[in-house]
């Protein structure tokens, strides 16, 4: 090649289609480069859109991939321009789009982003790599072509891309179709319209793939005779399109336009485009010999089943199966989260080595969702705790449970919690996001909450509006977690104020819609009406996740008899039992159970006090600021749950005491500094600090449960509140105390937790 390169040809893989595209214009003159092998580029792997995928490079007459080591957005910009797009919007690591084959041509690529050619970037040299295909890089390109990349530049081959699939229900009698749509004609997006698939050779494996894409774990037989009649050409009927721009329900009968035929899936694919199929050419309205479109009927998971009989049957099946041995934690949306499995009565995580879409899909279907949209690595849903039970899980995709898949047992050296595997599953479209909106906020992530009740939009009363209700609202909106539950919204734009239509909302926090929470119904009752007291939210894509290091509590617990003359400050801050007021101050003492607590932030956002610095309270006696009224509860409980002693701890100093390797401290309390706990850091309260205790002066000898709860009033948003409690068994003989079996509240199986709670009761008989 000379100073001006020839226009490079690009080979782009879209679904199972190859598109040859030519560069829009020659590259401006640049440094002279010696002649070398011709380069071509394509996008491959599981396609969600035509502008993203695994990057593959044709070099030296062989296709290969690019390693994700040191990959940057600058690299993605250069590669996207090679593919005919103006720029990149993101990139993906760890073979997000599936593992490639062949050589790994490029490693440690380092582009500034403005280079004309990938060969102008630094890298280790062609074919010089220490990576495996589990590290294949992908790109997400901006969906805008470089000027000149027009239809004339794209030569379509016999096959083309299958990007969007839907089920079109056929409803008789003008009845409104209920969500979710579990049965209908399979349609694929073709250019600007929808086309059908001929059912020639259609089988249950194909149906399983489509049901998985629609968010359902399994398929079932369908009444073909009904659809034979329905598939005959009839005039279109008027219909509503009010359930979302991309998921509209088309319930009319219409002229069929066949596009695909001879679809052949194995049943393990996560997208129809990964199956083999053939396309009809030209006018295909009468092309299907059988005259029948492919029809699918799906079985919804427990969360999405309709009808009491169906739900009762599924509950019976779950009871027969016993306690689930798999769960998702830390996800903002339904059907996503860190994968946790139960082994030897203890919950633990899965290492992401060789974690892929097939294994992720087995998890999703086992939990009642569809196939996996993404198999996430690198603790993308936060780090778990406890053991890492499984490594190198290799599912075929047909297994009923993750436990049926081959895997390696873990050793301490193999994995850390920074490698915890997670999933995002396909879930059925329910239309909940069309029943809620935000108004008046400065960004799309904040505002007054407005809900649709019947045909009417209105505000929600903020009486009792807490983080739990706000979490449900943000989930329903698809905006992640609730950063703040706002009870006064006067400072947001009120130009389009609506009246109140919902009050008394009380949520558990896991609901998919505010309408699923308790509320007053039509009998509205609100203490403070008007826009000023309408409920509002500030949502966030990420959240913190606090948990206590349980072993440290067990290791450091002891009893101290502390003289009253040394407890004036503690009494002032309400750190003693109420009977201390009746003591003969300054004579005598109080018996204190002391222990250290180490509070880690394992989430994806820093933990910050709810209140701003302007409202922190100065305590002169201990000379520190309180940034939260209550940060932790310390309780001694009897086996039946009765409190016999309690303590509480204001967050007088939330700071980064220590951090994991490569994590920098950000928060320090000294000199009215910022308070908080950085992701990957922990705040240590030593046993010898005032109020780091429970006053047990009035507790009689016996066996008890020590319970510590962090952020007990849910004042600050977290991705997971279920791990905020820690429990220990305690034996107190009136002189000494033994603390043992400390664990995070949801770390054990239900049976193990029951045994734990019964254990102190059984020991009571042994105490003299």
């Amino acid at each position: 090649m000379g100073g001006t390169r020839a226009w490079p040809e690009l080979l782009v893989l879209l679904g199972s289609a190859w598109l040859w595209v030519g560069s829009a214009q020659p590259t401006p003159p640049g440094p002279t480069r010696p002649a070398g092998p011709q380069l071509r580029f394509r996008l491959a792997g599981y396609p969600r859109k035509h502008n993203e995928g695994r990057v593959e490079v044709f070099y030296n007459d062989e296709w290969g991939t690019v390693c994700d080591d040191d990959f940057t957005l600058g690299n993605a910009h250069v590669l996207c321009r090679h593919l005919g797009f103006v720029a990149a919007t993101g990139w993906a690591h760890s073979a997000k789009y599936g593992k490639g084959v062949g050589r790994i041509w490029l490693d440690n690529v380092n582009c500034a982003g403005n280079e004309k050619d990938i060969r102008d970037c630094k890298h280790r040299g062609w074919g010089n790599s220490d990576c495996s295909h589990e590290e294949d890089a992908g790109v997400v390109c901006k969906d805008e072509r470089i000027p000149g990349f027009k239809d004339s530049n794209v030569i379509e081959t016999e096959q083309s891309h299958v990007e969007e699939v839907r089920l079109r229900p056929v409803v008789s009698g003008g009845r409104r179709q209920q969500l979710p749509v579990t049965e209908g004609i399979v349609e694929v997006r073709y250019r600007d319209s929808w086309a059908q698939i001929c059912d020639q050779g259609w089988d249950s494996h194909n149906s399983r793939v489509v049901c998985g894409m629609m968010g359902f774990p399994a398929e079932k037989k369908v009444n073909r005779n009904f659809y034979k009649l329905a598939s005959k050409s009839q005039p279109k009927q008027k219909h509503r399109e009010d359930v979302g721009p991309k998921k509209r329900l088309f319930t009319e009968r219409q002229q069929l336009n066949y596009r695909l035929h001879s679809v052949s899936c194995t049943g393990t694919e996560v997208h129809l485009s990964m199956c083999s199929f053939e396309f009809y050419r030209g006018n295909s309205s009468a092309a299907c010999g059988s005259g029948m479109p492919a029809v699918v009927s799906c079985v919804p998971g427990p969360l999405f089943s309709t009808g009491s009989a169906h739900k009762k049957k599924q509950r019976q099946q779950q009871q027969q199966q016993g306690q689930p041995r798999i769960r998702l934690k830390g996800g903002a949306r339904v059907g996503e989260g860190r994968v946790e499995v139960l082994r030897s009565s203890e919950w633990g995580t899965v290492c992401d080595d060789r974690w892929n879409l097939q294994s992720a899909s087995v998890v999703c279907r086992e939990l009642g969702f569809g196939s996996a949209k993404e198999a996430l690595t690198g603790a993308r849903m936060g780090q778990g705790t406890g053991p890492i039970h499984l490594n190198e899980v290799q599912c075929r995709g047909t297994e009923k449970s993750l436990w049926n898949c081959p895997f390696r047992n873990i050793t301490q050296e193999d994995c850390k919690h920074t490698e915890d595997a997670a999933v995002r599953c396909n879930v059925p479209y329910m239309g909940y996001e069309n029943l809620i909106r935000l108004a008046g906020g400065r960004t799309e992530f904040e505002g007054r909450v407005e809900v649709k009740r019947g045909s009417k939009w209105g505000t929600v009363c903020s009486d009792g509006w807490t983080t739990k209700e706000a979490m449900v609202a943000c989930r329903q909106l698809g905006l992640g977690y609730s950063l703040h539950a706002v009870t006064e919204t006067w400072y947001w734009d009120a130009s389009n104020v609506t009246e109140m239509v919902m009050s008394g909302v009380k949520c558990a926090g896991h609901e998919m819609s505010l309408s699923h929470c308790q509320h007053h119904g039509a009998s509205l009752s609100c203490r403070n009406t008007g826009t000023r007291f309408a409920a509002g939210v500030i949502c966030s894509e990420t959240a913190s996740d606090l948990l206590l290091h349980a072993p440290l509590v067990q290791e450091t617990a002891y009893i101290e008899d502390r003289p009253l003359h040394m407890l004036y400050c503690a009494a002032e801050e309400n750190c003693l039992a109420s009977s201390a007021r009746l003591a003969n101050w300054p004579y005598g003492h109080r018996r204190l159970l002391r222990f250290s607590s180490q509070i880690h932030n394992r989430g994806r956002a820093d933990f910050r006090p709810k209140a701003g610095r302007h409202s922190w309270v100065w305590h002169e006696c201990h000379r520190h600021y309180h940034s939260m009224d209550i940060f932790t509860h310390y309780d001694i409980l009897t086996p039946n749950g009765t409190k016999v002693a309690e303590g509480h701890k204001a967050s007088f100093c939330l700071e980064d005491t220590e951090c994991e390797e490569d994590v920098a401290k950000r928060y320090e309390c000294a000199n009215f500094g910022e308070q908080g706990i950085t992701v990957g850091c922990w705040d240590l309260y030593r046993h010898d600090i005032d109020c780091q205790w429970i006053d047990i002066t009035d507790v009689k000898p016996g066996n008890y449960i020590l319970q510590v709860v962090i952020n007990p009033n849910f004042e600050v948003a977290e991705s997971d509140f279920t791990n905020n409690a820690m429990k220990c068994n305690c034996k107190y003989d009136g002189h000494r105390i033994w603390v043992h079996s400390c664990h995070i509240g949801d770390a054990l199986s239900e049976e193990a937790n029951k045994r734990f709670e019964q254990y102190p009761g059984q020991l009571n008989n042994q105490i003299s």
Side-chain angles (χ1 to χ4, degrees), residues 679-735:
V679 176
C681 298
W682 55 90
D683 189 2
L684 174 64
Y685 292 101
R686 285 174 49 89
H687 56 83
D688 53 1
I689 296 175
D690 252 13
C691 297
Q692 183 59 38
W693 63 56
I694 301 177
D695 184 347
I696 62 169
T697 306
D698 306 318
V699 175
K700 297 176 182 178
N703 284 265
Y704 301 96
I705 293 174
L706 164 63
Q707 179 176 276
V708 178
V709 183
I710 309 167
N711 192 17
N713 298 336
F714 312 109
E715 289 188 15
V716 178
E718 296 187 50
S719 59
D720 185 4
F721 288 114
T722 62
N723 60 11
N724 281 31
M726 184 219 67
K727 298 178 181 178
C728 305
N729 282 138
C730 294
K731 179 181 178 181
Y732 176 49
D733 67 359
H735 306 285

Side-chain angles (χ1 to χ4, degrees), residues 85-284:
F85 298 96
V86 295
T89 60
W91 62 278
H93 60 85
S94 304
K96 173 183 174 181
Y97 299 101
K99 293 183 290 186
V101 295
R103 300 284 297 274
I104 298 176
W105 280 125
L106 292 172
D107 189 6
N108 298 112
V109 181
N110 185 2
C111 303
N114 56 1
E115 291 86 353
K116 303 295 184 184
D117 192 292
I118 196 72
R119 288 172 289 195
D120 296 332
C121 305
K122 296 177 181 177
H123 55 80
R124 290 181 60 158
W126 290 94
N128 183 11
S129 170
D130 59 0
C131 299
S132 70
H133 282 295
E134 291 169 352
E135 300 168 87
D136 284 343
V139 293
V140 181
C141 302
K142 187 175 182 181
D143 193 6
E144 180 183 342
R145 285 281 179 183
I146 294 173
F149 272 83
K150 298 180 181 178
D151 289 345
S152 59
N153 297 115
V154 181
I155 304 170
E156 189 171 349
T157 59
E158 180 181 347
Q159 295 197 342
S160 62
H161 183 48
V162 174
E163 188 171 300
E164 197 172 347
V165 181
R166 73 176 185 187
L167 287 183
R168 177 168 63 86
V170 176
V171 180
S172 59
R175 291 185 291 110
R176 185 179 179 86
Q177 175 66 40
Q178 285 189 329
L179 293 176
V181 175
T182 58
E183 182 175 300
I185 296 171
V186 184
E187 296 189 329
V188 296
R189 171 75 75 177
Y190 176 59
R191 293 181 178 167
D192 294 326
S193 62
W194 291 91
Q196 291 74 41
I197 303 174
C198 179
D199 76 341
Q200 173 187 338
W202 190 269
D203 62 16
S204 61
H205 296 307
N206 302 342
S207 297
R208 177 177 168 84
V209 173
V210 172
C211 287
M213 293 176 63
M214 299 296 109
F216 304 113
E219 75 291 344
K220 64 179 180 178
K221 288 185 178 180
V222 68
N223 182 355
R224 287 169 53 87
N225 291 329
F226 171 78
Y227 285 94
K228 267 186 181 175
L229 296 172
S231 64
K232 293 180 180 178
S233 176
Q234 292 189 14
K236 291 186 178 182
Q237 301 172 1
K238 290 183 179 179
H239 59 282
R240 295 174 64 87
E241 299 182 5
D242 58 356
V243 290
K246 291 187 177 179
K247 303 281 187 176
R248 297 180 179 122
L249 296 182
F250 290 77
T251 58
E252 81 282 2
R253 298 171 184 174
Q254 62 183 11
Q255 179 72 37
L256 297 176
N257 174 30
Y258 292 106
R259 179 66 182 153
L260 301 182
H261 69 95
S262 302
V263 178
S264 180
C265 304
T266 66
T268 62
E269 297 87 351
V270 296
H271 197 282
L272 195 65
S273 63
M274 301 177 77
C275 306
S276 64
F277 47 77
E278 296 180 23
F279 280 83
Y280 288 115
R281 297 179 179 180
N283 185 2
S284 57

Side-chain angles (χ1 to χ4, degrees), residues 283-528:
N283 185 2
S284 57
S285 59
C288 184
S290 67
M292 265 287 289
V295 178
V296 163
S297 184
C298 306
V299 179
L303 281 176
F304 309 98
S305 57
T306 55
S308 57
H310 191 61
K311 288 187 175 181
K312 184 178 179 182
K313 184 179 178 182
Q314 291 195 324
R315 278 198 301 269
Q316 289 173 346
Q317 290 175 343
Q318 287 175 331
Q319 288 170 359
Q320 291 169 358
Q321 293 168 356
Q323 187 195 3
R325 296 181 65 198
I326 191 165
R327 66 187 183 187
L328 299 182
K329 297 294 288 291
R333 298 169 182 84
V334 174
E336 70 174 31
R338 180 178 61 255
V339 180
E340 296 194 351
V341 293
L342 185 65
R343 192 179 195 184
S344 302
S345 298
E346 189 172 11
W347 285 100
T349 61
V350 177
C351 183
D352 64 10
D353 289 355
R354 305 185 74 178
W355 186 246
N356 59 25
L357 284 165
Q358 275 66 45
S359 299
S361 289
V362 170
V363 169
C364 291
R365 291 182 190 271
E366 185 176 356
L367 291 168
F369 305 111
S371 50
K373 281 194 293 189
E374 290 184 81
L376 301 170
T377 58
R380 287 272 300 280
M381 291 290 173
Q383 295 182 38
T385 57
I388 301 174
H389 285 316
L390 307 180
N391 188 19
E392 295 190 14
V393 180
Q394 288 288 279
C395 301
R396 295 186 303 275
T398 56
E399 295 86 353
K400 294 289 185 185
S401 169
L402 192 71
W403 290 103
N404 301 137
C405 302
F407 61 85
R408 269 185 56 210
N409 288 318
I410 203 77
T411 64
Q412 195 67 36
E413 296 76 29
D414 283 334
C415 268
K416 298 178 180 178
H417 282 297
T418 53
E419 301 169 81
D420 283 342
V423 296
R424 282 198 178 101
C425 304
N426 286 311
V427 296
Y429 176 72
M430 301 299 294
Y432 294 137
E433 72 274 19
N434 302 301
L435 304 176
I436 189 171
R437 67 188 183 190
L438 296 183
R442 298 158 294 184
T443 71
E444 63 172 321
F445 285 88
E446 68 174 32
R448 266 188 322 279
V449 175
E450 296 188 352
V451 295
K452 193 175 186 181
R453 306 283 288 161
S455 59
K456 191 175 183 180
W457 285 93
T459 59
V460 178
C461 175
S462 65
D463 287 356
W465 185 255
T466 70
T467 300
K468 287 187 174 182
E469 289 73 38
M471 280 286 192
V472 175
C474 290
R475 181 181 301 120
Q476 186 177 353
L477 287 157
L479 296 177
Y481 307 98
S482 165
L483 198 60
H484 293 294
V486 184
T487 54
E488 292 189 37
T489 54
W490 54 268
Y491 48 82
W492 280 329
D493 179 27
S495 56
N496 296 312
V497 175
T498 55
E499 61 182 279
M500 186 187 69
V501 297
M502 188 181 245
S503 66
V505 181
K506 186 176 182 180
C507 304
H510 56 73
E511 296 88 347
M512 290 184 280
S513 167
L514 285 177
S515 62
H516 297 168
C517 304
Q518 296 179 28
H519 56 85
H520 290 155
S523 305
L524 299 176
S525 175
C526 190
R527 186 175 66 247
N528 298 302

Side-chain angles (χ1 to χ4, degrees), residues 668-686:
E668 188 175 7
C669 300
N671 301 319
F672 197 33
E674 287 291 342
Q675 292 195 26
I677 307 176
T678 304
V679 176
C681 298
W682 55 90
D683 189 2
L684 174 64
Y685 292 101
R686 285 174 49 89

